[in-house]
Each structure stands twice: as structure tokens, then as C-alpha cells.
């Protein structure tokens, strides 16, 4: 679906006409990311992170397929084959660093993308399905990243695999058989490494499939925008091509600059040195930590140190860690405010920024040793995290008095909109429907 | 119209009102369901531990060189196993703890073989998230209860390898084992 004023695809010559009548793929592309897709004219730079996430996925798939040509998924030689890539394969060091840091870049981009959604209420009707598919993509990303980190078969790979599959052992009664089934043995070994490699290769293509559904669902109502006011007329939009293709191109350039800075000058800054020690099932590293992008969830896992009613601490930590993401699925129904954008929601905006700080605190504690004061801080931050979604957001959406919204995107951008009906125009203001400085928030 | 013609046809309806088509429908869907499950079974089962992994699940250890107060790390099912020769003081410490006060109540006698109370044989796998606790090696921290200490999340085990403090829910697991002679123990 698109807006009635969207430009229509016209085949340029007889050949494209012939193709269009048989397989209208160029028409699909034109309507999805071409001039046929009208986009709100006021999108800010936070709307560039979708294309950046797509770029990261492509980057990971390309570098990953190449690495798979040189990597051997066997516990006896996996570590050596990674060193072979680093030392012997032409450009192998660059491709592996590109892939390892590409994962970090992907998570930086996706966290900004997700928090953009939180701030601007992108999860709200009619875009709930876009949000649900997005959270699904994030879960798939986490699974893919975890299994990818196991493949080099270093100490952190091995013990990460052991701890994370150990989480399933916390399930009552069937936990241990499930853990052994997942690993294909009693501890991570060849069977586990092989299946992790197989799934690590598969899941990115599953992600690509869900990304297509994510974009499809987005293009039904069209993109949201920083005011949260829906598109009303043609003057609220500009065609995706050339306007946002150009802006996305600028974002891709900026991203590439920062990415290359890390890739070529600090390639190991985000990794853990212990993963350059071959896996040793007999010796645990003094301080097991996952990759930085899992730290907030790892902090929540470790925050449960005592049994909770009749639920053992270990199971409670596992449930809390998974719930920390599953609660996102309910966001469209926990936040009942009819106003989408945080720019017009004074209370929600404050809660949003506290959540950002809370997530950063959790992240810091997740990377720190399991000792005081980090355990206590993790516990407080975990309580706040769940309180934000389950208590604070529902209460705010019930009691908050939002700021007046602009009549339209056009008005927010230009300060006036010729289509404003008389009753809502600046010359005949209705109390509460107008805001003289509304454009100031865009 | 065609559908109606079939249901109306007296030849195809039995006296009890069951149509041939209903029977074929149920039979076909049932067969497909059974086939689906039987195809799924090997696809799921293949992920379980394979025969060679299961075959490597017993190990024999010579314990003659372990002096009281010492411990060694063996390998059982590709995981560490701790074999510890307890001193009389450690045995006394373990027996001095009221069993009811423990998170996972077990006495030292229940965790060792009769007449061999000094031989404490447990998995070296923390019951929290599977790290290898310290305390079996020379000079490693034994934790505040003199047994084992897991550095990952701070679980402390006592001289009977019972959980005393920290997030682990259970005592260190005692694997199946038997003394084949006074100096050799077969684990698994």
C-alpha cells in the first residue's frame, strides 16, 4: 500500500516493459525504496539506522561466507584454523576483524534503532507488527552472535557456550536432558561446535527473511516520523528516491568512517584477550564475560543471588534475563498514550532517558566481576528496568498531559500548513489543538 | 453444486451417515500426521549425544599417590572430576555441620563410600552455571568453607563439596563410581 500521490512506476523501454508484465520486480523495488515510496519530509538522522542495520547484515553475510571458506568447524583444529585465517590467508586478518567488529557495529546500530523506537513510540498502532518482527529479529541476532562467538574455540568461546547452555539446565525436570540435547554431549565439544557453525550460517538468512517481513509491514502504514503525527497530504512527504537515498548514503559514509576506524586501529578493543587462549575444559577463566552487547542482560541474569519464593535463584535469573527482552513484545499494549512521539510527552521523555541510563548501568555491571558493589547495583537497576516497562510506562500513559501536537508534519516543518481547517488554524486557535512553538520540537 | 451432488448421492452415504469421503479424509490426514512425527523424530534425536560420546563416559583413575589433604583433577565425560583425600580435620568439619541447615541437605557419609569416607569424589562442575571451581589444585583458594570456591559467581563449597554460600543451587555432583581395588577407582 502506499499513499495515493505516490509516483507510479513507468517502464523506461520495451525491455523493462516486457519484464514488468512477467515479473514486476523493478516495480517492487521502485515502490519500496524508489520514487514510488513517499516518506515523511521531517525524518531526522535516527531514521537512518534501519538502512545501517541492513548494511551490517549484508556486511556480516559477505564476510561470514568468505570466512567459512577457510574455517574448520572441528574442536581439534577450529582455533588453529582461525589463526590460519589471521596469519596465512590473504587479507584473512582484515576479513576476520571486519566480521568480529561488524557484529559489534550491528549491535550499536540496532540498539540505537530500538531506542529510537522507544523514544518516538514507533511500536504504536498501526505499526505493532513492525515492532514485533523487529524484536524477533533482535532475538535471532542474539542467538546468531552467541553461536558465532563460540566458533573460534578460545577460552571465552568455550566457557560462554558452557554458561549459556547451562541456563537451560535451570529448567525444572527436563533441564539437564535439554542441555545435553543442545550440546550433543555432557559438555561443549565437537558436536556442539559443529551444530553451532551450521546454525550460525543458517540464521542470518532467516534474519534476512524476517527483515523483508519487517519492511513489508512498515510499508503498509508508511514510515513514522519525529512528530508522531500521521501523514495527511502530499506536502507532508517527499519521495524516498532521491531524498532519503541521498540522506541514507550520507549516513552510510559516516558509519563506514567510524567502522573502519575501529576495524583498522582498534580491532581488538571490543574483544576479550582470553579468547586468544585455546579452549580448555579443565580450567575456567577467572572472569567469564560475554561480548559487550550482552552485558545488560548478563547483569540481570546475575542479579538473582537468593531463592525467590519457591523458585531457585538460578532459574529466576534465567527467567528474568529472557523476560527482559520478551517484555518489549508487550510495549504496544503497555503504553496506552495516544501520543506517539516522546517529543510531545514530558513525563515519558524523562522516563525514557532514565531507562537509557539504567541500561548503561546494567551494561557496566554485566561486564564487571560478580562482586559488590556491582551485584547490589545490578539488583537495583534490574528492578528499575522491569518497573519501567510494567509500572512506570502504563502509569505515565494514564496520567500524562501531553504537549499540544502540530496539526501536520508540514506545519511542524514550515510553521504553517495551508490545509489546516479553519477551526484549527493559527488565526482561529482552538485551545489544546495548537501550539505556537510546535515546530520547535521537530 | 458438485459438492452438493456428491453428498446427496445415495450410493456414497452409508446407513450410519458416514461418507466415504469423510473416512478417506480422516485416514489421509492421520497417516500424514504419523508420517510427519516419524520424520521429525530422527531429525530431533540426531542432536542427542552420539554413541562415541556415550562410549567415552567411564574412566579409571589411580589414586595411590594422593596424600591426605591433596586432590587431583581427572577427566570424566570431558569434564573435570575432583578426587580428594580428606584429612581427619576436614572430615570432622564436614560432620560438625547440622545437615538440616544446608541448602542441599546431605551428610558426608551419603556423599562417600562406606569405609572410604576420606575419598571425596565429585564433579568439578559448579552447579550454578558450570564453571570449574578452584580448590583442587595446589595453592588454589578453597573458599571460606575450606572446600571449593567458584570464581565465576562466588559459590563456596565445604569440605564435603556441599554448597554453603553463593548462587549455586546444589552440592557438587557425586558421579557414579566404584573402587575396583584399594588404589584404583572407576568413575562412570
Amino acid at each position: 500500500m502506499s499513499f495515493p500521490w505516490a509516483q507510479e512506476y513507468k517502464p523506461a523501454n520495451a525491455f523493462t516493459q516486457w519484464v514488468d508484465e512477467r515479473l514486476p520486480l523493478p516495480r517492487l523495488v521502485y515502490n519500496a525504496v524508489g520514487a514510488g515510496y513517499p516518506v515523511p519530509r521531517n525524518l531526522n538522522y535516527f531514521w537512518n539506522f534501519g538502512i545501517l542495520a541492513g548494511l551490517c547484515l549484508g556486511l556480516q553475510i559477505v564476510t561470514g561466507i568468505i570466512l567459512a571458506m577457510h574455517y574448520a568447524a572441528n574442536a581439534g583444529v577450529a582455533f588453529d584454523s582461525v589463526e590460519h585465517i589471521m596469519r596465512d590467508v590473504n587479507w584473512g586478518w582484515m576479513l576476520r576483524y571486519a566480521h568480529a567488529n561488524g557484529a559489534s557495529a550491528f549491535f550499536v546500530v540496532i540498539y540505537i534503532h530500538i531506542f529510537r523506537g522507544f523514544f518516538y513510540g514507533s511500536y504504536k498502532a498501526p505499526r505493532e507488527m513492525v515492532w514485533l518482527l523487529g524484536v524477533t529479529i533482535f532475538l535471532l541476532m542474539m542467538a546468531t552472535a552467541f553461536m558465532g562467538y563460540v566458533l573460534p574455540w578460545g577460552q571465552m568461546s568455550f566457557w560462554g557456550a558452557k554458561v549459556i547452555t547451562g541456563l537451560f539446565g535451570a529448567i525444572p525436570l527436563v533441564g539437564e536432558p535439554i542441555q545435553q540435547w543442545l550440546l550433543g554431549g555432557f559438555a561443549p565439544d565437537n558436536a556442539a561446535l559443529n551444530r553451532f557453525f551450521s546454525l550460525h550460517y543458517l540464521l542470518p538468512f532467516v534474519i534476512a527473511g524476517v527483515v523483508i517481513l519487517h519492511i513489508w509491514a512498515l510499508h503498509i502504514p508508511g514510515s513514522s516520523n519525529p512528530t508522531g503525527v500521521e501523514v495527511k497530504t502530499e506536502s507532508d512527504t517527499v519521495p524516498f528516491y532521491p531524498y532519503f537515498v541521498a540522506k541514507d548514503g550520507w549516513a552510510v559514509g559516516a558509519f563506514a568512517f567510524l567502522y573502519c576506524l575501529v576495524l583498522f586501529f582498534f580491532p581488538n578493543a571490543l574483544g576479550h584477550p582470553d579468547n586468544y587462549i585455546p579452549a580448555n575444559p579443565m580450567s575456567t577463566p577467572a572472569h567469564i564475560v560475554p561480548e559487550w552487547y550482552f552485558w545488560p542482560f548478563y547483569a540481570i541474569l546475575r542479579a538473582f543471588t537468593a531463592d525467590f519464593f519457591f523458585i531457585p535463584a538460578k532459574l529466576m535469573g534465567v527467567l528474568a534475563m529472557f523476560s527482559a527482552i520478551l517484555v518489549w513484545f508487550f510495549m504496544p499494549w503497555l503504553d496506552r498514550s495516544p501520543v506517539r512521539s516522546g517529543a510531545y510527552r514530558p513525563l515519558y521523555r524523562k522516563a525514557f532517558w532514565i531507562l537509557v541510563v539504567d541500561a548503561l548501568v546494567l551494561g557496566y555491571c554485566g561486564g564487571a566481576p560478580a562482586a559488590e558493589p556491582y551485584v547490589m547495583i545490578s539488583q537495583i537497576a534490574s528492578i528499575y528496568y522491569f518497573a519501567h516497562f510494567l509500572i512506570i510506562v502504563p502509569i505515565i500513559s494514564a496520567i500524562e498531559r501531553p504537549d499540544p501536537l502540530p496539526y501536520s508534519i508540514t506545519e511542524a516543518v514550515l510553521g504553517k500548513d495551508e490545509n489546516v481547517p479553519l477551526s484549527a488554524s493559527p488565526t482561529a486557535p482552538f485551545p489544546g489543538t495548537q501550539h505556537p512553538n510546535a515546530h520547535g520540537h521537530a | 453444486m458438485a459438492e452438493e451432488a456428491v453428498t446427496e448421492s445415495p450410493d456414497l452415504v452409508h446407513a450410519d451417515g458416514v461418507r466415504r469421503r469423510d473416512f478417506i479424509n480422516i485416514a489421509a490426514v492421520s497417516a500424514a500426521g504419523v508420517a510427519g512425527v516419524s520424520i521429525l523424530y530422527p531429525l530431533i534425536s540426531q542432536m542427542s549425544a552420539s554413541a562415541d560420546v556415550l562410549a567415552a563416559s567411564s574412566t579409571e583413575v589411580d589414586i595411590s599417590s594422593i596424600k591426605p589433604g591433596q586432590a587431583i583433577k581427572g577427566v570424566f565425560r570431558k569434564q573435570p572430576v575432583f578426587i580428594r583425600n580428606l584429612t581427619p580435620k576436614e572430615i570432622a568439619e564436614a560432620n560438625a555441620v547440622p545437615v538440616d541447615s544446608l541448602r542441599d541437605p546431605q551428610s558426608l557419609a551419603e556423599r562417600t563410600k562406606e569405609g572410604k569416607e576420606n575419598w571425596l569424589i565429585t564433579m568439578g562442575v559448579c552447579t550454578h552455571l558450570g564453571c570449574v571451581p578452584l580448590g583442587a589444585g595446589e595453592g588454589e583458594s578453597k573458599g571460606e568453607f575450606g572446600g571449593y570456591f567458584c570464581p565465576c559467581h562466588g559459590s563456596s563449597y565445604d569440605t564435603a563439596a556441599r554448597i554453603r554460600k553463593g548462587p549455586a543451587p546444589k552440592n557438587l555432583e557425586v558421579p557414579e563410581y566404584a573402587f575396583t581395588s584399594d588404589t584404583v577407582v572407576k568413575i562412570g
Side-chain angles (χ1 to χ4, degrees):
Chain A
M1 200 206 82
S2 187
F3 299 111
W5 56 85
Q7 293 171 40
E8 204 197 339
Y9 175 70
K10 290 190 187 65
N13 53 49
F15 174 70
T16 51
Q17 169 126 26
W18 184 89
V19 170
D20 187 51
E21 284 161 2
R22 284 154 184 82
L23 180 72
L25 190 61
R27 179 182 293 271
L28 184 79
V29 172
Y30 182 90
N31 290 333
V33 291
Y37 181 48
V39 183
R41 63 192 290 173
N42 60 335
L43 300 190
N44 62 29
Y45 282 117
F46 286 107
W47 266 259
N48 289 119
F49 285 83
I51 194 76
L52 292 183
L55 175 75
C56 288
L57 180 63
L59 187 76
Q60 291 302 85
I61 288 177
V62 170
T63 52
I65 288 173
I66 294 169
L67 288 171
M69 295 176 185
H70 303 281
Y71 170 78
N74 179 295
V77 294
F79 187 89
D80 292 341
S81 77
V82 172
E83 286 306 304
H84 157 74
I85 290 169
M86 292 299 287
R87 293 154 195 258
D88 302 335
V89 175
N90 293 339
W91 299 99
W93 60 272
M94 188 182 82
L95 290 161
R96 177 169 170 266
Y97 280 153
H99 195 71
N101 289 293
S104 284
F106 202 169
F107 275 95
V108 169
V109 165
I110 220 73
Y111 280 132
I112 296 174
H113 192 59
I114 290 168
F115 275 80
R116 189 287 312 266
F118 281 135
F119 186 85
Y120 290 109
S122 304
Y123 45 82
K124 291 191 180 186
R127 295 184 187 81
E128 300 99 319
M129 189 57 82
V130 185
W131 178 257
L132 299 179
L133 290 165
V135 178
T136 306
I137 293 169
F138 181 68
L139 288 171
L140 287 167
M141 270 180 70
M142 293 181 83
T144 310
F146 159 67
M147 288 191 277
Y149 192 57
V150 174
L151 302 184
W153 212 238
Q155 272 289 67
M156 281 295 164
S157 298
F158 179 90
W159 290 99
K162 182 138 191 180
V163 167
I164 299 300
T165 56
L167 298 181
F168 291 90
I171 301 167
L173 302 174
V174 293
E176 209 162 310
I178 285 181
Q179 187 187 351
Q180 285 177 15
W181 176 74
L182 286 171
L183 289 172
F186 305 101
D189 200 7
N190 215 22
L193 179 62
N194 256 296
R195 69 189 53 176
F196 281 10
F197 180 57
S198 171
L199 294 173
H200 182 71
Y201 206 118
L202 166 72
L203 286 183
F205 298 98
V206 177
I207 291 175
V210 185
V211 165
I212 289 171
L213 299 182
H214 186 66
I215 297 170
W216 185 7
L218 172 69
H219 285 203
I220 303 284
S223 300
S224 68
N225 71 85
T227 65
V229 176
E230 287 291 335
V231 167
K232 289 190 172 69
T233 57
E234 187 171 0
S235 72
D236 291 341
T237 65
V238 288
F240 189 83
Y241 178 84
Y243 293 95
F244 285 101
V245 170
K247 188 168 177 174
D248 281 339
W250 191 92
V252 166
F255 167 82
F257 175 79
L258 295 172
Y259 171 69
C260 290
L261 202 65
V262 175
L263 167 55
F264 292 111
F265 294 96
F266 312 97
N268 285 310
L270 298 167
H272 198 291
D274 275 19
N275 219 28
Y276 284 108
I277 303 169
N280 179 0
M282 294 298 126
S283 162
T284 309
H287 178 199
I288 298 182
V289 281
E291 289 277 81
W292 68 267
Y293 37 78
F294 292 143
W295 285 354
F297 304 103
Y298 196 57
I300 291 172
L301 169 75
R302 295 193 304 186
F304 290 83
T305 51
D307 293 359
F308 199 70
F309 299 114
F310 53 91
I311 306 171
K314 179 173 156 183
L315 178 60
M316 204 59 214
V318 174
L319 291 175
M321 186 179 72
F322 285 112
S323 304
I325 300 165
L326 296 182
V327 71
W328 295 358
F329 278 117
F330 298 96
M331 202 54 192
W333 299 278
L334 290 168
D335 181 0
R336 308 296 306 186
S337 173
V339 175
R340 279 198 195 89
S341 171
Y344 300 96
R345 303 185 58 192
L347 283 178
Y348 178 79
R349 191 162 61 220
K350 291 188 184 78
F352 168 85
W353 285 112
I354 297 172
L355 178 72
V356 171
V357 172
D358 188 62
L360 293 174
V361 168
L362 279 172
Y364 184 82
C365 291
E372 296 298 352
Y374 304 115
V375 175
M376 170 81 84
I377 296 171
S378 301
Q379 287 167 342
I380 295 167
S382 299
I383 290 170
Y384 184 81
Y385 180 90
F386 285 103
H388 172 88
F389 290 102
L390 299 175
I391 299 170
I392 296 172
V393 164
I395 289 178
I396 284 180
S397 63
I399 64 164
E400 182 179 51
R401 186 191 162 95
D403 295 337
L405 290 169
Y407 168 74
S408 66
I409 294 168
T410 304
E411 190 193 272
V413 174
L414 300 180
K416 62 178 168 54
D417 184 347
E418 288 165 6
N419 294 315
V420 175
L422 198 60
S423 60
S425 72
T427 48
F430 258 33
T433 56
Q434 263 303 316
H435 192 281
N437 298 322
H439 61 278
H441 289 282
Chain B
M1 291 301 282
E3 180 79 10
E4 203 177 326
V6 171
T7 48
E8 297 285 311
S9 167
D11 299 343
L12 295 170
V13 181
H14 287 260
D16 56 3
V18 176
R19 292 183 303 151
R20 282 163 61 96
R21 180 160 296 187
D22 289 337
F23 174 78
I24 292 169
N25 207 338
I26 292 167
V29 170
S30 308
V34 170
V37 170
S38 49
I39 290 168
L40 213 54
Y41 182 79
L43 296 182
I44 293 171
S45 172
Q46 54 81 22
M47 279 179 68
S48 299
S50 56
D52 60 329
V53 170
L54 292 173
S57 58
S58 97
T59 183
E60 286 197 357
V61 185
D62 181 357
I63 56 171
S64 57
S65 61
I66 310 171
K67 295 187 177 63
Q70 284 186 332
I72 62 160
K73 285 187 203 177
V75 183
F76 171 56
R77 291 175 168 176
K78 300 240 174 175
Q79 298 180 90
V81 60
F82 293 160
I83 302 168
R84 183 158 170 168
N85 192 348
L86 296 174
T87 62
K89 181 168 167 281
E90 286 172 333
I91 293 172
E93 271 175 26
N95 287 331
V97 181
V99 171
D100 290 342
S101 69
L102 297 168
R103 185 179 300 174
D104 183 10
Q106 270 186 319
S107 67
L108 178 63
E110 288 173 275
R111 294 172 61 72
T112 52
K113 299 285 182 205
E114 209 179 329
K116 303 260 186 202
E117 266 93 2
N118 59 321
W119 290 107
L120 178 67
I121 300 178
T122 62
M123 297 305 295
V125 179
C126 180
T127 56
H128 181 223
L129 291 173
C131 298
V132 179
L134 302 174
E138 203 74 43
E140 286 178 357
S141 163
K142 289 182 161 67
E144 61 183 286
F145 297 93
Y148 300 104
F149 173 70
C150 182
C152 293
H153 303 106
S155 293
S156 291
Y157 298 87
D158 66 11
T159 52
R162 296 175 298 199
I163 179 67
R164 297 293 291 275
K165 195 180 171 191
K170 297 242 174 245
N171 302 334
L172 287 188
E173 186 194 341
V174 177
E176 264 185 51
Y177 68 90
F179 286 90
T180 53
S181 75
D182 271 354
T183 57
V184 175
V185 61
K186 181 172 182 255
I187 300 168

